Amino acid sequence: MAVTIKDVAREANLAISTISKYMNGGTVRHENRVLIEAAVQKLGYSPNRSARGLRTSKTYMIGLVTGRVNSPHTAAIVSGIEKRFRELGYSVIFATHEENGVQIEDYLEYLLERGVDGIISSPIAAGGDCLKRAVEQNIPVLVVEENSGEMRTDCVQVDCCGGAYQIVEHLIESGHRRIAIIKGPENKLTARERLRGYFRVLEDYGYPVRQDYLIPGDFTYQSGYKGIMKLWELEEKPSAVFVSNYDMCLGAMAAVHNLDIRVPEALSVVSFDDFELSVMVRPKLTTIRQPLEEMANAACDLLYRRIQGDYSDFPKKIRLKTQCIYRDSVKTYTRGAEVEI
């Protein structure tokens, strides 16, 4: 006769609910985990996840569609989602894709064939029709960071406009007037929102937008490097630059080093995203910190509610606030005393 969860509970002298929570990936006390693992090994128990799925019409699998996990930003979100769903008793199937959408349709078809209970997706350049098919099949879909509005889905995102406004306002309050920005790609909502925050704060303070200070970028190291090079060729150089994501800031700081630009004496540098670089370089960088763990947890908890059948507030958009981390990379001028570079 096959060993059951009741047998494990009896052997470990624990409640069945505690055994079930452990088997579903939930957190139990260390001493209980030791007892459960000993009982499982002694009895040779193997949970039948397929049978569990048949009984509840669930597979207890979540699909996570994201770009390449080659940045601390994406890695933090992916790790947070996997950790939270593991606590809820679900496994996560990762499907990564290139920015151009290569193979994304095949990935999404695979997730649909596996019968995932829900999908969390970052913005994708192609394959949107597959997401629509998931919605049509009543599979809950949640989008993190960006939402084009083409589909009625839940969305969890950061207030990028507000974060950009806050950090550029800090530059203005520090006496800067010639403030450049290295932008992100126009097809990304997060990039457009950060640019909008930059425009809005300049407008609110009555400063004109200088076209030569609007430097194109694509959220890559190379574009950040080229952006600083381009700015330093200008006859009237900026006194401060807002680099609108972490990867570009890596490139920007490499260019600053190669050009021997003194920060913050010759150029104040601020960035969107706060990771290791921010405290490793000298001076330490003033940055906007995104609540990545909070974003991951909010996305998981909302999708879990949908899986349980709670659509009382659908579609829901959650917007999380950023935090400005003030460090040493911004020079402060007395009013009207910003010097020529």
Side-chain angles (χ1 to χ4, degrees):
M1 182 179 297
V3 177
T4 68
I5 195 172
K6 291 182 179 179
D7 298 322
V8 176
R10 188 181 305 112
E11 177 67 28
N13 195 27
L14 294 171
I16 292 178
S17 59
T18 302
I19 309 299
S20 178
K21 183 179 181 181
Y22 172 82
M23 296 299 176
N24 290 332
T27 302
V28 299
R29 287 184 296 182
H30 174 73
E31 55 269 29
N32 289 343
R33 178 169 59 82
V34 171
L35 292 172
I36 295 170
E37 290 175 351
V40 167
Q41 185 174 3
K42 178 179 179 179
L43 300 175
Y45 173 73
S46 178
N48 189 337
R49 294 187 179 275
S50 297
R52 182 175 67 143
L54 289 172
R55 288 196 303 272
T56 62
S57 299
K58 291 186 175 67
T59 61
Y60 292 88
M61 293 187 297
I62 301 296
L64 174 57
V65 183
T66 183
R68 291 180 297 168
V69 187
N70 60 351
S71 72
H73 175 90
T74 304
I77 295 175
V78 169
S79 176
I81 289 173
E82 192 279 332
K83 177 177 181 292
R84 180 58 180 145
F85 265 118
R86 181 160 31 88
E87 293 172 349
L88 293 171
Y90 286 74
S91 58
V92 177
I93 302 176
F94 300 97
T96 61
H97 62 87
E98 301 290 337
E99 284 296 317
N100 60 9
V102 173
Q103 293 185 315
I104 189 59
E105 293 191 11
D106 290 340
Y107 286 146
L108 285 166
E109 286 290 353
Y110 172 75
L111 295 178
L112 295 181
E113 290 173 0
R114 292 295 301 272
V116 293
D117 295 334
I119 294 175
I120 295 180
S121 174
S122 65
I124 53 179
D129 288 342
C130 292
L131 283 178
K132 291 179 181 178
R133 287 203 294 277
V135 172
E136 291 169 357
Q137 294 177 28
N138 295 320
I139 298 173
V141 174
L142 182 144
V143 178
V144 293
E145 297 198 272
E146 303 198 18
N147 188 357
S148 65
E150 295 179 1
M151 291 187 301
R152 293 183 74 246
T153 61
D154 295 310
C155 179
V156 178
Q157 55 191 179
V158 168
D159 181 11
C160 289
C161 181
Y165 189 106
Q166 185 179 13
I167 202 164
V168 176
E169 183 178 47
H170 173 59
L171 291 173
I172 291 175
E173 291 176 340
S174 298
H176 292 270
R177 301 296 179 265
R178 291 173 286 116
I179 303 171
I181 179 174
I182 302 180
K183 306 182 293 180
E186 294 181 358
N187 65 336
K188 286 188 175 291
L189 177 63
T190 51
R192 296 196 303 271
E193 282 208 343
R194 292 169 198 184
L195 181 60
R196 184 157 57 92
Y198 169 85
F199 285 150
R200 182 176 294 176
V201 69
L202 293 183
E203 180 182 1
D204 286 351
Y205 280 83
Y207 297 145
V209 174
R210 292 185 50 156
Q211 293 301 315
D212 56 345
Y213 285 176
L214 304 179
I215 306 301
D218 59 8
F219 281 177
T220 65
Y221 175 99
Q222 292 79 7
S223 64
Y225 188 95
K226 292 177 181 177
I228 293 296
M229 290 294 185
K230 186 172 183 178
L231 285 173
W232 227 240
E233 292 174 352
L234 296 175
E235 182 176 349
E236 187 176 21
K237 298 174 175 58
S239 68
V241 59
F242 167 41
V243 187
S244 59
N245 96 319
Y246 178 74
D247 290 338
M248 291 196 304
C249 193
L250 289 173
M253 294 307 294
V256 163
H257 174 76
N258 289 343
L259 291 171
D260 198 24
I261 301 172
R262 293 170 292 115
V263 177
E265 292 83 4
L267 179 68
S268 292
V269 179
V270 298
S271 175
F272 210 102
D273 291 326
D274 183 61
F275 295 109
E276 290 85 353
L277 172 74
S278 306
V279 294
M280 289 174 62
V281 298
R282 293 296 180 270
K284 297 178 182 179
L285 294 179
T286 291
T287 61
I288 286 293
R289 179 178 296 169
Q290 299 194 65
L292 300 182
E293 182 177 358
E294 185 181 353
M295 187 193 318
N297 288 339
C300 294
D301 291 345
L302 181 54
L303 186 66
Y304 180 74
R305 282 177 47 207
R306 302 304 184 225
I307 293 171
Q308 302 306 309
D310 181 358
Y311 280 80
S312 58
D313 54 356
F314 179 83
K316 183 178 180 64
K317 177 184 288 187
I318 298 175
R319 290 179 66 89
L320 303 173
K321 295 296 184 182
T322 59
Q323 179 184 6
C324 192
I325 308 299
Y326 303 101
R327 297 193 180 98
D328 309 320
S329 62
V330 175
K331 181 175 180 178
T332 299
Y333 295 96
T334 58
R335 186 170 297 276
E338 185 193 67
V339 297
E340 297 296 325
I341 304 298

